[in-house]
């Protein structure tokens, strides 16, 4: 590319994504970003330099051919664009909305060195949404049937990626989901305003149209064991059950009424439709003065959900500084716009109750940062004599989650870490048990949707080799 053309592309500003106004959206559960128009998408796509060695692809866990699909959008061939994405990713409408592009594909875009990177995530979302609303419904080609069958345990991003990959390779795939709806963390953990349920349902329907069977209300480890899956004739099993075991802080008073794990709070609000009250009268304490402990994406989701559930004041309490907050930049920005308050370098010590056993306050201590710990972040230390109290009538603990032992505790021959996660080979995601693979949060601990999808891609390649070549 000539320097003149490169300079011209660099002068095209990044096309903003239209959004609901903060004061309006903070009281409804409708999606916040509204998507790009075809004209804006093509203009944004025109910014791509079409690098000969695209660094953006190195940052994509599922290795989408990013320059290729962006060029197709620029050319106005939106149908071919989504098919190019489908070659590597079965969940583009999801990933375009919730992936941390700023530290992955967009983080490596060369335009980002001097200005704004290409809005790769927004373009991926555009291609997927355009296909859903205006596409022909034509499916990608499938390989001839192999006669082999795969059981996928869990319908989160790892499991759905495995299912999407292997069904196209000609294998028979059945997904087993513990809840009454498929989607895993995509439906019970991520709120409607960030990832609408109809988007997840559309992605699931796409997989079903390809031939994937999805069986809900199936708790593998209780309803059926892994042994029984093999007895039913499955040739291999992929375990992608996530990390859904709630984590608490073990503080005095943590069992008071009105103190939730983020897992329970978001599941009640999302999958049990508490956000549709009074149409659905889901049991959920609706606080007016809400405190969320933690500063990851789950904490932001919880805080923003509390606002929409009618809270008058919502505070994030985090023991480190803003620089250490693990949430996506966009999620922090949206929370602040909507009025969520941030109380940083603050750590809870204990909770107080009213006469009915309901939480009414929290004792905290101010912190300062010391030397880095094993995570690489500076270790917070309490400041002596800085204790204070904070009024609150609802607390959501969003400090991480652990490995659910239901499946792992009932499956012989499966090696686990000290924390209960499944041990899997890094390159293939094979477990210690023949014919069983595992990936996503049940292997790594809580991580992102796209990293789980990347694990699904790794596992599906290995499973395909096993089914066609051998262990």
């Amino acid at each position: 590319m000539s320097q003149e053309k490169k300079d011209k592309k660099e002068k095209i500003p990044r096309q903003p994504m239209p959004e609901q106004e903060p004061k309006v959206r903070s009281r409804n559960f409708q999606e916040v970003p509204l998507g790009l128009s075809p004209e804006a998408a093509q203009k944004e796509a025109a910014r791509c330099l079409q690098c000969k060695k695209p660094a953006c692809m190195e940052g994509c866990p599922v290795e989408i051919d990013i320059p290729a699909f962006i060029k197709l959008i620029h050319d106005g061939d939106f149908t071919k664009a989504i098919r190019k994405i489908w070659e590597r990713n079965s969940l583009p409408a999801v990933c375009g909305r919730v992936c941390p592009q700023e530290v992955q594909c967009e983080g490596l875009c060369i335009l980002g060195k001097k200005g704004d990177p290409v809005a790769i995530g927004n373009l991926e979302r555009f291609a997927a949404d355009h296909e859903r609303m205006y596409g022909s419904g034509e499916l990608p080609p499938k390989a001839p049937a192999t006669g082999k069958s795969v059981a996928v345990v869990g319908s989160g991003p790892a499991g759905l990626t495995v299912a999407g990959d292997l069904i196209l390779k000609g294998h028979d795939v059945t997904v087993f989901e513990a809840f009454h709806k498929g989607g895993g963390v995509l439906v019970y953990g991520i709120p409607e305003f960030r990832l609408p349920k109809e988007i997840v349902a559309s992605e699931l329907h796409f997989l079903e149209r390809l031939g994937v069977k999805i069986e809900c209300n199936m708790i593998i480890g209780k309803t059926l064991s892994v042994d029984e899956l093999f007895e039913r004739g499955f040739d291999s099993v992929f375990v992608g059950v996530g990390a859904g075991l709630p984590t608490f802080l073990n503080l005095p008073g943590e069992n008071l009424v009105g103190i939730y794990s983020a897992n329970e709070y978001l599941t009640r609000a999302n999958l049990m439709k508490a956000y549709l009250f009074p149409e659905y009268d889901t049991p959920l304490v609706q606080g007016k003065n809400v405190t969320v402990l933690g500063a990851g994406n789950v904490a932001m989701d919880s805080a923003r959900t509390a606002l929409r559930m009618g809270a008058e004041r919502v505070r994030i309490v985090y023991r480190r500084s803003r620089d250490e907050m693990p949430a996506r930049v966009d999620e922090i920005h949206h929370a602040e716009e909507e009025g969520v308050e941030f109380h940083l370098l603050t750590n809870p010590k204990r909770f107080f109750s009213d006469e009915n056993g309901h939480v009414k306050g929290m004792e905290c201590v101010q912190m300062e940062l010391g030397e880095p710990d094993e995570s690489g972040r500076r270790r917070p230390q309490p400041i002596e004599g800085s204790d204070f109290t904070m009024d609150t009538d609802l607390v959501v603990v969003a400090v991480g989650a652990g490995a659910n032992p239901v499946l792992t505790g009932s499956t012989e021959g499966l090696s686990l870490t000290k924390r209960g996660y499944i041990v899997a080979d890094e390159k293939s995601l094979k477990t210690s048990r023949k014919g069983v693979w595992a990936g996503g949060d049940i292997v790594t601990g809580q991580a992102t949707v796209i990293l789980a999808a990347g694990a699904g891609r790794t596992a599906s390649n290995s499973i395909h080799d096993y089914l066609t070549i051998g262990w």
Side-chain angles (χ1 to χ4, degrees):
M1 177 182 293
S2 68
Q3 186 62 43
E4 182 181 352
K5 284 186 176 180
K6 183 177 179 181
D7 291 343
K8 187 176 180 181
K9 283 177 176 284
E10 288 178 343
K11 288 179 182 177
I12 302 173
R14 180 173 167 127
Q15 301 302 294
M17 175 89 82
E19 295 179 345
Q20 284 195 70
E21 290 294 325
K23 287 184 179 179
V24 175
R25 72 184 192 232
S26 65
R27 297 301 176 183
N28 69 57
F29 276 84
Q30 297 165 19
E31 190 169 16
V32 171
L34 302 175
L36 295 174
S37 67
E39 296 76 19
Q42 288 181 275
K43 194 170 183 180
E44 181 62 34
R47 301 180 64 230
C48 179
L49 299 178
Q50 293 294 313
C51 303
K52 291 183 178 179
K53 294 183 178 179
C56 56
M57 288 181 62
E58 297 174 16
C60 178
V62 293
E63 300 172 339
I64 294 171
D65 190 341
I66 294 169
F69 95 77
I70 290 179
K71 185 178 188 305
L72 288 165
I73 289 177
H74 176 249
D75 294 343
D77 198 336
F78 307 144
T79 298
K80 284 187 178 178
I82 189 61
R83 277 151 183 74
K84 176 56 67 174
I85 296 172
W86 278 342
E87 289 176 4
R88 306 299 300 172
N89 184 11
S90 302
L91 306 170
V94 170
C95 293
R97 285 168 164 82
V98 302
C99 287
Q101 292 98 0
E102 68 273 10
V103 296
Q104 293 182 330
C105 53
E106 293 182 19
L108 295 178
C109 175
I110 195 165
L111 287 182
K113 292 184 177 181
K114 292 184 179 180
D116 293 323
V118 175
I120 298 167
N122 292 350
L123 291 174
E124 182 181 27
R125 168 183 165 158
F126 167 79
D129 288 355
H130 190 275
E131 173 66 20
R132 186 181 71 257
M133 293 184 288
Y134 308 110
S136 66
E138 181 186 351
L139 295 172
K142 289 170 59 176
T146 63
K148 302 291 185 179
S149 62
V150 182
V152 174
V153 184
S155 65
L160 294 181
T161 299
V162 169
D165 281 5
L166 294 180
I167 199 74
L168 291 178
K169 295 180 188 298
H171 308 301
D172 189 68
V173 181
T174 301
V175 177
F176 295 94
E177 168 56 46
F179 280 125
H180 60 282
K181 277 193 175 181
V185 70
L186 303 175
V187 290
Y188 73 73
I190 303 179
E192 180 78 5
F193 55 81
R194 196 152 75 87
L195 181 61
K197 305 294 177 285
E198 68 170 349
I199 298 299
V200 182
S202 176
E203 302 282 55
L204 287 166
H205 182 56
F206 169 71
L207 293 175
E208 288 179 313
R209 287 172 59 223
L210 285 171
V212 174
K213 293 180 283 293
I214 300 175
E215 293 192 25
C216 295
N217 301 307
M218 297 291 287
I219 304 173
I220 305 305
K222 291 290 185 182
T223 314
L224 289 174
S225 67
V226 170
D227 289 339
E228 287 171 323
L229 291 177
F230 284 115
E231 289 170 8
R232 283 191 169 197
F234 288 103
D235 297 291
S236 62
V237 175
F238 174 79
V239 179
V241 293
L245 188 68
T247 297
F248 286 96
L249 296 169
N250 296 319
L251 298 177
E254 202 168 26
N255 62 342
L256 294 172
V257 177
I259 299 180
Y260 288 94
S261 69
N263 305 59
E264 180 179 1
Y265 184 74
L266 289 173
T267 298
R268 286 179 181 270
N270 294 334
L271 198 60
M272 297 173 69
K273 300 185 179 181
Y275 67 90
L276 290 177
F277 180 86
E279 184 181 346
Y280 288 83
D281 190 11
T282 305
L284 182 68
V285 174
Q286 298 183 21
K288 295 296 182 184
N289 188 3
V290 179
T291 305
V292 177
L293 308 180
N297 289 329
V298 174
M300 300 304 144
D301 287 344
S302 300
R304 298 172 69 197
T305 294
L307 275 177
R308 288 159 172 81
M309 293 291 291
E312 296 170 0
R313 185 181 191 185
V314 178
R315 290 175 282 194
I316 290 275
V317 170
Y318 181 53
R319 62 183 185 148
R320 290 183 164 98
S321 75
R322 189 181 185 93
D323 290 341
E324 287 79 33
M325 290 170 67
R328 288 186 66 195
V329 172
D330 280 355
E331 304 312 318
I332 296 170
H333 171 66
H334 282 149
E336 284 186 314
E337 279 190 327
E338 292 167 9
V340 174
E341 302 173 26
F342 288 79
H343 291 255
L344 306 177
L345 291 169
T346 302
N347 206 36
K349 292 181 68 176
R350 63 190 177 107
F351 302 99
F352 306 110
S353 71
D354 62 16
E355 62 278 8
N356 297 316
H358 193 290
V359 65
K360 72 170 186 178
M362 179 173 70
E363 181 180 344
C364 301
V365 61
Q366 293 181 335
M367 310 292 282
E368 60 184 358
L369 296 180
E371 295 300 313
D373 62 15
E374 62 275 5
S375 73
R377 296 177 295 178
R378 294 173 65 190
R379 186 187 300 275
Q381 300 170 338
I383 299 174
E384 191 173 346
S386 65
D387 295 24
F388 66 99
T389 59
M390 183 181 290
D391 293 337
T392 185
D393 61 358
L394 177 68
V395 177
V396 181
V397 183
V399 295
N404 193 315
V406 172
L407 181 146
T408 56
S410 66
T411 306
E412 292 185 4
L414 210 55
S415 294
L416 306 177
T417 68
K418 291 180 180 179
R419 298 181 62 191
Y421 295 106
I422 297 175
V423 176
D425 179 75
E426 187 176 332
K427 292 183 179 179
S428 67
L429 293 181
K430 291 179 179 178
T431 70
S432 56
R433 178 161 175 175
K434 184 177 180 180
V436 179
W437 283 254
D441 291 1
I442 191 59
V443 172
T444 62
Q446 272 195 313
T448 63
V449 167
I450 193 62
L451 287 176
R457 167 62 36 73
T458 298
S460 68
N461 289 336
S462 179
I463 293 169
H464 177 66
D465 287 344
Y466 169 69
L467 295 176
T468 55
I469 301 171
W471 186 264

